[in-house]
Amino acid sequence: MDSKDNNKNSGSEQAVEHGRRGFLGKGAALGLAGVALGLTACKEQGASTHAADAKPHQAGGGTEVAPGQLDEYYAFMSSGHSGEARILGLPSGRTLKRIPVFNVDCMVGWGITNESKAIIGTKPDGSLQYTTGDTHHVHGSYKDGTYDGRWLFINDKIHSRVARIRMDTMECDKITQLPNVMGFHGIFTDKRDPVDPKINYTTRVFCGAEFHIPLPNDGHDLDDPAKWGALFSCVSAETMEVVWQCRVDGNMDLVATSYDGKLAASNQYNVENAADLNGMMSAERDACVFFHVERIERLVKEGKFTTIGNSKVPVVDGRKAANADPKTAVTCYVPVGKNPHGVNASPDGKYFVCSGKLSPTATVIELAKVLQWFDGGLKEPRDAVVAEPEIGLGPLHTAFDGKGNAYTSLFLDSQCVKWNVDAAIAQFKGDKNAKVILEKMDVHYQPGHNFSSMGETKEADGKYLNSGNKFSKDRFLPVGPLHVETEQLIDISGSKMRLIADHTAYSEPHDGIIVRRDLVKTRQIYNMDDFPNAVKPENAGIERHGNKVHVRLMSQAPAYSMPVIKVKKGDEVTITLTNHDKVEDLTHGLALPTYNINFIVNPQETKSVTFKADHAGVFWMYCTHFCHALHLEMRSRFLVEA
Amino acid sequence: MDSKDNNKNSGSEQAVEHGRRGFLGKGAALGLAGVALGLTACKEQGASTHAADAKPHQAGGGTEVAPGQLDEYYAFMSSGHSGEARILGLPSGRTLKRIPVFNVDCMVGWGITNESKAIIGTKPDGSLQYTTGDTHHVHGSYKDGTYDGRWLFINDKIHSRVARIRMDTMECDKITQLPNVMGFHGIFTDKRDPVDPKINYTTRVFCGAEFHIPLPNDGHDLDDPAKWGALFSCVSAETMEVVWQCRVDGNMDLVATSYDGKLAASNQYNVENAADLNGMMSAERDACVFFHVERIERLVKEGKFTTIGNSKVPVVDGRKAANADPKTAVTCYVPVGKNPHGVNASPDGKYFVCSGKLSPTATVIELAKVLQWFDGGLKEPRDAVVAEPEIGLGPLHTAFDGKGNAYTSLFLDSQCVKWNVDAAIAQFKGDKNAKVILEKMDVHYQPGHNFSSMGETKEADGKYLNSGNKFSKDRFLPVGPLHVETEQLIDISGSKMRLIADHTAYSEPHDGIIVRRDLVKTRQIYNMDDFPNAVKPENAGIERHGNKVHVRLMSQAPAYSMPVIKVKKGDEVTITLTNHDKVEDLTHGLALPTYNINFIVNPQETKSVTFKADHAGVFWMYCTHFCHALHLEMRSRFLVEA
C-alpha cells in the first residue's frame, strides 16, 4: 500500500476537465437499475436546464454571506452513518454546529462524560452500549402548523433508536430504543392532537421500520421469513417512552403526518413481504399506508392489543386482514408506484405525495379522500389517488414551495423536476393540455432527499431547495477514494430554478429541514442551578470514601480551582467540573493524558467523568478549549501514587 | 433543565444587532491577561482597518466558488480536540474531507474495523487504547523546500502521539506514541537531510513537548517537580519509529525547521521549569531552543546517550549545563520575548520568528547567526537576534507572504498585524524611520494560529492568509452555549489586507497548511491487490474452525455476495468485506444492527471486523452508504442460532 509508484493518480488539474456527461457515462456503467429492471421510459415534458450550459450569472451567485453577516435560515440535517446531527447556515452552507447523538465525539466528551453515557446507555461493565448510528431524518416539533423551536427528533437506523435534541441548547437530551423493530428509517412528529383540538402542538413522534424480523427476535423462526413482521411505533415527545406500536404488512420507509393531526403515513416498498431482492420487486405496485391515530389509541385504551416478548408496549394489529372494514380499520393501504422511496405532505394540508423510485411516477393522495375511506365513503383505497404524473426516472422525495408546485428528486436522471400539483390533478382527470412538468434541472449527482425552506410547514416560503446528492464525482478537488457528498442549493424563488451553490456534506446527506432564523431561540449560557451536581465554592475539593474519590473542580480562566490533585493507584475517581465563567463563548476543556479523558464545559455548565486510576505517575490535566491568553498555562497536576 | 420558561433566550434577530465593539467590551470582562499581567502597551503604528467600517466590496467577496468549479488550494487543518484532521477547499471554505485519526468515526468505521484498531492500538481485551486526541499541527513532507504531496503528520497532545496520513488516499496509516513525553504540542518535518546534501526531502519528524514529568513517569518524584523534565523527539518519517530524544530545560511548544535541514527549533515558555502559573511567568524572557540535528545524531552513534525506564530510545542531554561549549553543544537557547507561543521559519530560509504572547514583540532570529554560535563565532545566543519589533498585544503566530512581509496574530488585540521583516531589522539596527508596521486588521475574535498559502515553503505565494480565531461570539447564527469557531480568510495579494470570508470550524481551529492544488495527487480507487485479505470469488464464503467463523464477503451494487449468513450464538465472527465495484465514488457500507458495527469500503478496498455473536436472532446487515437505486434493498440476513 505504501508504494507511490503503483498509485493510480488522479491529479486535480485532470479532474477539472471532467465534464458532467463524462461522469454520467460512467454512471451508466454502474448498471443503475433503470434498464435492467424494465422501467418505463419517461417522456420529458418542459425544458431541461443544464447547469453546464448555464451562463455564469445563472449558475452560482447569491449564497455568499459577507463576513459579519448572518445567514437567513438554519438547516437542521441528518448526517447518515456519521451518527450526528448537523446545523448549517443557509444560504452560506457554513456548518454552525455538529450535534453528537449516536456517535462518540471526543471534543465535547459525548460518550465520555457520565451524563452523556447515561443518555446513550451503557453495558453492565460501564462501557457504551453502542457507538454507531445511522441518522436519516430530522424533524422539528410543531405548533399551529409551523416549527415552535422546542425540539428536534432524529432516528438511528442501525439500532432502532430515536433521539431528542433540545433546540435551546442544541444538545441531545434523550435517546430511546424501539423494541421489536429493525431498520427504523422514517420519523415524523405529529402536528396537532388527533383527538383534542385544543392541543395544537407536537406530542407524538411516529417511527417507521423497514426490516421484517421474528417477533420477538430471540432466535426462533430464523428460516421462516413469512412469519416475520414490522411495527410502526409512536413515541411520546415529552417522556420519550414508546406509547404504542402497530403491526403492518410490508416494509415501511419514510413517515409523514397530516396537518389536522389525524393521520400518519408511511410509504412501503416490499408489500410482498419478501426477504430477497427479486421478491421485493415482484409486485406491480407498492403502497402508502395511513394510520388512524385516534382509532389505534382507542384500541389501546380498550385493551385490544398484544405485547411481544419482554416488551410491555401495546401492539395493535394493523395488517390488511384485520382491517378489511374501513369503519373500524386502523390502517389504510393506498396502492402507489413501485418501490416508493418517500412520502411528503403538501403545505396546504391537502395531499400526500409518494414517489415511485422504480416507477417514473409520483402518486398524489388526497387526505380528505383517505378520511372518507376510513368513514366508509370511498370504495377502494386506490380511489384516494387524485394524480399520478410521469415525472422522470427514479423519483424519490418531494418538496414544496407553498405556491402549488412540487419538486421531486430524480435519482436515476440526476435531476430535480418541478411540477404543478393542480395541473397533475387536472391531467389525471383527463385534461390533456395540463402542463404538469414545469422544469427539469440537472443536479450533481444522483439526488436522494430534497427539502425546501419551511417546506414541511404551513409557512412554506418557496425560497430555497436543498438537493442532497449521493455522488459528487468531479464536483470538488479530489481527496482520495472517499468522496465528499454534495448538498446543492437551488434558488426556487423565481420562475426558473437556479443552482446557486455546491455545498459539501460529510457522508452522508439524508433528510433535513430549513427553518427561518426567527423561529429559533437559543440560550447562550447555561443556568448553573440546572445541574444538581454543580460544584460551587462551598462543596469544591476532594472527598474520599474508601477507594472512591470525588474531585469537585471549578474552572475560571485561566485556572482550575485546584493546582494539585493527589489520588492512589486503584482508586475509582470521579471528577466533576463546573465552569464558573459567565462570558458567552468562554468554554473550557479538561483532558487527562493517558487516561483517555477529554470533555468541555460551556459557561455555567457541569459535567463529570468516572474512571479507575490504574497507573501511577504525574498527569497534567489541561484545558483543551482555548479560553484565555494564558490558556496554555491552564493546567493542574493529577498525581497518582503507586 | 427542561423548562422553556427559565431559558435565557438569545434570539437570532437580537444577535444581528450585536456589534463587534460590544463584544470586545465583554472581552474585557474576560480579564484577559493584558492589564493584569502588566503588559507594556503597544504603540500602534500604521493604519488600522476595521472590517465593521469597511465598504461592502472590501469586506467579503471573491471566495464564492461557483457550482462545478474547483477550489484553488487545499487547506489541511488540525481540528483540536475533535481528534481528526480536516481538508478544506480554499477559497470556498468547503470541508472536502474529515480524516479520522485519534477519534472514533462510525461513518468510515475508524476504531471499529480490525485494520483501524491495529493502527490506533488496543488493550489486551481488544478494546481501543484511546478514543480521544487533541491535534494541533499538521505539516506535510517536503522535497526541495516545497510539499511533495506524500505525507501529512499530525500530533495528539493528550496522549503524545504522532500520526501519519498518506496523501494519495488521505487516510491515516500509522500512529506512534512518544515515550516519556507529555503535552506533545509542536510538530514539524525536516526539509532536507542535515548531513547528506543529496537527500533533499523529508526523512524526520520533530516533536516538542510541553509538560515536565518524572523520567520515567512511574510514580516516583510526584512531589518534586524540580526533578522532572521534557524531551524533544525525532521520529522517522518512513518507519514512524522514535529515533532519538533530547532532554531540554524549559517547556517546548511549537516546532520549526530550517530549509538547509541543519536545525530544528522550538519556542519555550516556562524556562523557569515551574509547576504553577506564577512560577511559569516569573522570568523576563523565555527562549527559542535550537537543535543541532547532526551533532545529536553523532552522539547517538557514539553511544553518548542514556535511556529512560523501559524505553530503548536513546536520549541525549540538551540541557544548558551540558551544552555550555558552543562547539560541542547540541542545543542553543536564544532568549526571546516572554511566554512565546509560536516559532515560524521565513520562506527565504533566513529567519525564525518567535512571538512574545506576554510581550508585545516578535523576535527575529537569523539562522546564519545561530549556526555561527554553534561554530563558536558568536558570543551569546542572544546575539542571533536581529530584530524585535513591537507589533501589538498577545502576538502568537507568524505567517509569510514570500515578499518580505510577516503577518502575526494578536490574540489580545483581536487583530492581524502585517509587518516588514527587513524594516524591523533596520529599526533594530537604529533606523528610526523604518516603517515596520504596515497594517493592522481586526479579526473576530482572539486569533490563535494563522497561516498563509504555501507560506511554510520556498514557494510562499502571498495570496491567502487564514486566521484561526478562538472565539466567534456574534459572527454566526446562535446555536446554543457551544459556539462554532471562525476561520477567517484574508486576501493578502494586494497592498491592503482584505477580509473576504468567515468560514466555520468545529472546535477547535489550530494550525494548518495551505497547499496549491497541483501539488496533490490522489488515487481515486484502491488497488485490490494492496489488501492481503481481499475477498475474491475463489475464497468468498463461510469458513469455520471450532467456534471461529470467517465470513468472506464481496459487495457489488446492489448486493452483497451472500444473501444469508448463519452462525451460532457464542461464535467469534470475522466479516471481511471487499468492494468489487470499480466505479469512482461507489462506496458501500455495512451495518449490523444491535452488534454496533458500521464501516465503509471504497472501490476495490477491503476491511474486516471481528466480534462475538452473543445474542440470537435475525439481523439484517445493510448497506449504509448510498450506492444504487436499489440501495435500500441491499441487505443480507445475518442469522444467529440460539
Side-chain angles (χ1 to χ4, degrees):
Chain A
M1 290 287 291
D2 268 337
S3 165
K4 291 275 289 180
D5 299 330
N6 292 333
N7 289 0
K8 187 183 168 184
N9 288 325
S10 165
S12 48
E13 295 304 328
Q14 193 184 334
V16 179
E17 294 162 26
H18 287 159
R20 176 179 199 269
R21 293 301 158 191
F23 274 105
L24 281 190
K26 283 193 186 177
L30 287 176
L32 287 171
V35 179
L37 292 163
L39 277 182
T40 312
C42 176
K43 272 176 263 169
E44 291 217 7
Q45 304 176 32
S48 182
T49 309
H50 297 289
D53 309 332
K55 289 174 191 164
H57 74 274
Q58 289 177 307
T63 64
E64 201 172 47
V65 175
Q69 298 300 307
L70 301 183
D71 278 295
E72 298 169 67
Y73 293 89
Y74 290 88
F76 299 99
M77 289 172 157
S78 75
S79 62
H81 42 136
S82 71
E84 63 191 28
R86 221 167 285 156
I87 309 177
L88 265 61
L90 288 182
S92 76
R94 300 184 289 210
T95 302
L96 302 180
K97 189 167 188 171
R98 300 185 196 170
I99 307 174
V101 181
F102 303 112
N103 58 328
V104 168
D105 184 301
C106 70
M107 196 280 280
V108 299
W110 189 255
I112 294 167
T113 62
N114 295 329
E115 293 75 16
S116 62
K117 286 167 91 170
I119 293 169
I120 301 169
T122 53
K123 297 181 195 171
D125 69 358
S127 66
L128 291 172
Q129 180 76 27
Y130 302 117
T131 57
T132 58
D134 181 18
T135 74
H136 283 228
H137 299 273
V138 180
H139 287 291
S141 54
Y142 284 78
K143 189 171 182 179
D144 271 336
T146 193
Y147 300 119
D148 66 0
R150 193 172 186 201
W151 288 317
L152 298 169
F153 298 90
I154 188 166
N155 76 304
D156 162 29
K157 182 170 167 178
I158 302 182
H159 302 298
S160 297
R161 293 176 292 172
V162 52
R164 184 174 70 188
I165 293 163
R166 292 171 51 157
M167 288 182 74
D168 59 343
T169 60
M170 299 295 177
E171 289 176 351
C172 172
D173 75 339
K174 285 267 190 188
I175 295 179
T176 296
Q177 188 168 30
L178 306 177
N180 298 305
V181 156
M182 194 172 291
F184 160 35
H185 186 145
I187 185 172
F188 220 108
T189 45
D190 66 355
K191 300 193 181 91
R192 59 189 306 140
D193 197 86
V195 189
D196 184 349
K198 289 196 301 295
I199 302 177
N200 62 346
Y201 54 87
T202 292
T203 57
R204 299 166 180 80
V205 183
F206 299 110
C207 311
E210 281 183 58
F211 306 157
H212 286 213
I213 52 172
L215 299 169
N217 190 19
D218 56 5
H220 79 280
D221 290 335
L222 293 189
D223 300 311
D224 199 351
K227 292 187 179 167
W228 306 350
L231 308 174
F232 186 78
S233 305
C234 175
V235 173
S236 161
E238 190 72 46
T239 68
M240 288 290 283
E241 284 170 7
V242 186
V243 184
W244 51 257
Q245 296 183 303
C246 179
R247 183 165 177 183
V248 298
D249 289 314
N251 292 7
M252 285 163 294
D253 194 357
L254 271 72
V255 175
T257 60
S258 64
Y259 281 86
D260 64 7
K262 293 193 190 309
L263 301 186
S266 184
N267 65 295
Q268 299 195 294
Y269 69 99
N270 191 23
V271 292
E272 302 88 343
N273 291 327
D276 55 38
L277 191 62
N278 287 334
M280 290 179 192
M281 294 185 300
S282 59
E284 269 311 295
R285 286 198 182 278
D286 284 287
C288 180
V289 55
F290 288 85
F291 298 87
H292 196 296
V293 181
E294 184 185 3
R295 288 188 190 169
I296 289 173
E297 298 188 353
R298 199 187 306 146
L299 288 185
V300 171
K301 255 191 196 157
E302 291 169 355
K304 292 174 179 166
F305 61 82
T306 57
T307 60
I308 297 170
N310 298 324
S311 164
K312 294 202 169 73
V313 175
V315 179
V316 169
D317 191 348
R319 286 175 290 181
K320 284 179 192 172
N323 292 274
D325 179 3
K327 290 199 167 180
T328 57
V330 296
T331 51
C332 171
Y333 295 79
V334 178
V336 301
K338 191 167 177 168
N339 282 47
H341 184 64
V343 56
N344 297 88
S346 64
D348 59 10
K350 289 187 194 170
Y351 307 108
F352 290 84
V353 176
C354 267
S355 301
K357 193 170 83 175
L358 298 192
S359 159
T361 55
T363 305
V364 182
I365 302 166
E366 188 173 341
L367 170 66
K369 287 184 186 283
V370 179
L371 291 172
Q372 204 181 335
W373 182 87
F374 275 116
D375 287 340
L378 201 70
K379 198 175 167 198
E380 295 293 339
R382 177 70 192 172
D383 296 339
V385 171
V386 295
E388 200 156 59
E390 285 196 4
I391 55 172
L393 295 186
L396 298 185
H397 301 282
T398 299
F400 301 93
D401 62 7
K403 303 167 199 164
N405 302 312
Y407 301 76
T408 302
S409 54
L410 300 176
F411 181 82
L412 294 175
D413 280 340
S414 278
Q415 290 188 318
C416 172
V417 53
K418 176 180 177 182
W419 55 281
N420 185 272
V421 178
D422 284 343
I425 293 169
Q427 186 189 53
F428 195 71
K429 282 182 183 159
D431 180 354
K432 287 181 180 169
N433 296 318
K435 186 167 168 56
V436 179
I437 308 294
L438 302 178
E439 190 185 0
K440 289 185 176 186
M441 194 172 95
D442 289 347
V443 294
H444 313 82
Y445 303 93
Q446 268 73 40
H449 278 278
N450 64 6
F451 42 92
S452 56
S453 47
M454 297 298 290
E456 310 246 36
T457 74
K458 283 190 171 176
E459 300 186 308
D461 60 15
K463 189 141 189 193
Y464 293 118
L465 179 77
N466 186 94
S467 179
N469 305 326
K470 299 299 189 178
F471 292 81
S472 66
K473 301 279 185 188
D474 59 341
R475 301 295 283 187
F476 305 109
L477 288 179
V479 289
L482 177 63
H483 289 233
V484 70
E485 315 297 359
T486 332
E487 301 275 14
Q488 287 192 306
L489 193 66
I490 299 166
D491 179 347
I492 56 169
S493 63
S495 61
K496 287 278 179 194
M497 290 186 275
R498 204 165 63 96
L499 176 64
I500 53 175
D502 278 14
H503 296 315
T504 57
Y506 192 63
S507 307
E508 92 172 17
H510 282 280
D511 205 8
I513 57 175
I514 302 176
V515 179
R516 265 196 347 259
R517 69 184 187 192
D518 64 285
L519 294 173
V520 177
K521 308 282 182 195
T522 63
R523 57 162 84 187
Q524 297 301 97
I525 295 172
Y526 283 93
N527 181 349
M528 195 184 288
D529 295 328
D530 284 342
F531 300 89
N533 59 339
V535 179
K536 299 177 180 179
E538 56 268 27
N539 68 352
I542 293 193
E543 190 181 354
R544 175 181 285 278
H545 293 286
N547 69 345
K548 292 195 176 182
V549 179
H550 197 155
V551 180
R552 291 189 181 87
L553 204 62
M554 300 177 288
S555 62
Q556 194 155 25
Y560 299 113
S561 55
M562 300 170 69
V564 182
I565 296 156
K566 195 183 270 189
V567 303
K568 292 189 180 71
K569 187 176 163 180
D571 283 345
E572 183 193 286
V573 179
T574 295
I575 299 176
T576 303
L577 174 62
T578 297
N579 184 0
H580 279 250
D581 277 305
K582 286 179 179 170
V583 174
E584 185 175 338
D585 203 8
L586 212 168
T587 293
H588 292 291
L590 187 153
L592 188 54
T594 76
Y595 276 102
N596 197 29
I597 283 167
N598 186 61
F599 62 96
I600 58 167
V601 277
N602 294 303
Q604 303 284 298
E605 190 181 27
T606 299
K607 284 183 186 167
S608 67
V609 288
T610 299
F611 59 95
K612 192 171 177 188
D614 58 9
H615 51 284
V618 172
F619 308 97
W620 287 92
M621 213 167 71
Y622 73 94
C623 178
T624 42
H625 210 92
F626 214 103
C627 59
H628 189 281
L630 292 173
H631 161 70
L632 274 190
E633 289 81 354
M634 181 165 172
R635 45 190 169 105
S636 297
R637 283 160 277 167
F638 184 82
L639 310 176
V640 181
E641 292 182 313
Chain B
M1 290 287 292
D2 268 339
S3 165
K4 291 275 290 178
D5 298 330
N6 292 333
N7 290 359
K8 187 183 167 186
N9 288 324
S10 165
S12 49
E13 295 305 326
Q14 194 184 335
V16 180
E17 295 164 24
H18 287 160
R20 177 178 197 270
R21 293 301 158 189
F23 275 105
L24 281 191
K26 282 193 187 175
L30 287 177
L32 286 172
V35 179
L37 293 163
L39 278 184
T40 312
C42 173
K43 275 178 261 169
E44 290 217 5
Q45 303 176 34
S48 183
T49 309
H50 298 289
D53 308 333
K55 288 173 193 164
H57 74 274
Q58 290 177 306
T63 64
E64 201 172 45
V65 175
Q69 298 300 307
L70 300 183
D71 278 295
E72 298 168 66
Y73 293 90
Y74 290 88
F76 299 100
M77 290 172 155
S78 76
S79 61
H81 42 133
S82 70
E84 63 191 27
R86 221 167 285 156
I87 310 177
L88 264 60
L90 289 183
S92 76
R94 299 183 289 208
T95 302
L96 301 180
K97 190 166 187 172
R98 299 185 195 170
I99 307 173
V101 181
F102 303 112
N103 59 327
V104 168
D105 184 301
C106 70
M107 197 278 282
V108 298
W110 188 255
I112 295 167
T113 62
N114 295 328
E115 293 75 17
S116 62
K117 287 168 91 171
I119 292 169
I120 300 169
T122 53
K123 298 180 193 171
D125 70 357
S127 66
L128 291 172
Q129 181 76 25
Y130 302 118
T131 57
T132 59
D134 182 17
T135 73
H136 283 228
H137 300 273
V138 180
H139 287 292
S141 54
Y142 285 78
K143 189 170 184 179
D144 272 335
T146 193
Y147 300 120
D148 66 359
R150 191 168 187 206
W151 288 318
L152 298 169
F153 298 91
I154 187 166
N155 76 304
D156 163 29
K157 182 170 168 180
I158 302 182
H159 301 298
S160 297
R161 293 175 293 172
V162 52
R164 184 173 71 187
I165 292 163
R166 291 172 51 155
M167 287 181 74
D168 60 342
T169 60
M170 299 297 177
E171 289 176 352
C172 172
D173 75 340
K174 285 267 190 191
I175 295 178
T176 296
Q177 188 168 31
L178 305 177
N180 298 304
V181 156
M182 195 173 291
F184 160 36
H185 186 144
I187 185 171
F188 220 107
T189 43
D190 66 356
K191 300 193 181 92
R192 59 188 306 139
D193 197 86
V195 188
D196 184 349
K198 290 196 299 296
I199 301 177
N200 63 345
Y201 54 87
T202 292
T203 57
R204 299 167 179 79
V205 183
F206 300 111
C207 311
E210 282 184 57
F211 306 157
H212 285 214
I213 52 171
L215 298 169
N217 190 20
D218 56 5
H220 79 280
D221 290 336
L222 293 190
D223 300 312
D224 200 352
K227 292 188 180 165
W228 306 350
L231 308 174
F232 186 78
S233 305
C234 175
V235 173
S236 161
E238 191 72 46
T239 68
M240 288 290 284
E241 284 171 9
V242 186
V243 184
W244 52 257
Q245 296 184 301
C246 179
R247 183 164 177 182
V248 299
D249 289 315
N251 292 8
M252 285 164 295
D253 195 356
L254 271 70
V255 175
T257 59
S258 64
Y259 281 87
D260 64 5
K262 293 192 190 307
L263 301 185
S266 184
N267 66 295
Q268 299 196 295
Y269 68 99
N270 192 23
V271 293
E272 303 89 342
N273 291 328
D276 56 37
L277 191 61
N278 287 333
M280 290 180 194
M281 293 185 301
S282 59
E284 268 312 293
R285 285 198 183 278
D286 282 287
C288 180
V289 56
F290 288 86
F291 298 87
H292 196 296
V293 181
E294 184 185 3
R295 288 188 190 168
I296 290 172
E297 297 189 353
R298 199 186 306 145
L299 288 184
V300 171
K301 255 192 196 156
E302 291 168 355
K304 293 175 179 166
F305 61 82
T306 56
T307 59
I308 298 171
N310 298 324
S311 164
K312 295 202 168 73
V313 176
V315 179
V316 169
D317 191 349
R319 286 174 292 182
K320 285 180 191 170
N323 292 274
D325 178 2
K327 290 199 167 180
T328 58
V330 297
T331 51
C332 171
Y333 294 78
V334 178
V336 301
K338 190 168 179 167
N339 283 48
H341 185 63
V343 57
N344 296 88
S346 64
D348 59 10
K350 290 186 191 168
Y351 307 108
F352 289 85
V353 176
C354 267
S355 301
K357 192 169 85 176
L358 299 190
S359 158
T361 56
T363 304
V364 182
I365 302 166
E366 188 173 342
L367 170 65
K369 287 183 185 283
V370 179
L371 290 171
Q372 205 181 333
W373 182 87
F374 275 116
D375 287 339
L378 200 71
K379 198 174 169 199
E380 296 293 339
R382 176 71 191 171
D383 296 338
V385 171
V386 295
E388 201 156 58
E390 285 197 3
I391 55 172
L393 295 185
L396 297 185
H397 301 282
T398 299
F400 301 93
D401 62 6
K403 303 167 198 163
N405 301 312
Y407 301 77
T408 303
S409 54
L410 300 175
F411 181 81
L412 294 175
D413 280 341
S414 278
Q415 289 187 320
C416 172
V417 53
K418 176 180 177 181
W419 54 282
N420 184 272
V421 178
D422 284 344
I425 293 170
Q427 186 190 54
F428 196 71
K429 281 183 183 157
D431 180 354
K432 287 182 180 169
N433 296 320
K435 185 166 169 53
V436 180
I437 308 294
L438 302 178
E439 190 185 0
K440 289 186 175 184
M441 195 172 92
D442 289 347
V443 294
H444 314 83
Y445 303 91
Q446 268 74 41
H449 278 277
N450 64 5
F451 41 92
S452 56
S453 46
M454 297 298 290
E456 310 246 35
T457 74
K458 284 189 170 174
E459 302 187 306
D461 60 15
K463 188 139 189 194
Y464 292 117
L465 179 77
N466 186 94
S467 179
N469 305 325
K470 299 298 190 178
F471 292 81
S472 66
K473 302 282 187 187
D474 59 340
R475 301 295 284 187
F476 305 109
L477 288 179
V479 289
L482 177 64
H483 290 233
V484 70
E485 316 296 1
T486 332
E487 302 275 15
Q488 286 191 306
L489 193 66
I490 299 167
D491 179 348
I492 57 170
S493 62
S495 61
K496 288 278 181 192
M497 290 186 275
R498 203 166 64 95
L499 175 63
I500 53 174
D502 278 14
H503 296 315
T504 57
Y506 192 64
S507 307
E508 101 174 8
H510 282 281
D511 204 7
I513 57 175
I514 302 175
V515 179
R516 264 195 350 257
R517 69 183 186 192
D518 64 285
L519 294 173
V520 177
K521 307 281 181 197
T522 63
R523 58 162 87 185
Q524 297 301 97
I525 295 174
Y526 283 93
N527 182 348
M528 194 183 289
D529 295 328
D530 284 342
F531 301 88
N533 59 340
V535 180
K536 299 178 181 178
E538 54 269 28
N539 69 350
I542 293 192
E543 190 181 353
R544 174 182 287 276
H545 294 286
N547 69 344
K548 292 194 177 182
V549 179
H550 196 156
V551 180
R552 291 190 180 87
L553 205 61
M554 301 177 288
S555 62
Q556 194 155 23
Y560 300 113
S561 54
M562 300 168 70
V564 182
I565 295 155
K566 195 182 270 190
V567 303
K568 292 189 181 72
K569 188 176 163 181
D571 283 344
E572 183 194 286
V573 179
T574 295
I575 299 176
T576 304
L577 174 62
T578 297
N579 184 359
H580 280 250
D581 278 304
K582 286 179 179 170
V583 175
E584 184 175 339
D585 202 7
L586 212 168
T587 294
H588 292 291
L590 187 154
L592 187 54
T594 76
Y595 276 101
N596 197 30
I597 283 167
N598 186 60
F599 62 96
I600 58 168
V601 276
N602 293 302
Q604 302 286 299
E605 190 180 26
T606 299
K607 285 183 184 166
S608 67
V609 289
T610 299
F611 59 95
K612 192 170 176 189
D614 58 8
H615 51 284
V618 172
F619 307 98
W620 287 93
M621 215 167 70
Y622 73 94
C623 178
T624 43
H625 211 92
F626 214 103
C627 58
H628 189 283
L630 292 174
H631 161 70
L632 274 189
E633 288 81 354
M634 182 166 169
R635 46 190 169 105
S636 297
R637 283 159 277 165
F638 184 81
L639 310 177
V640 181
E641 292 181 312

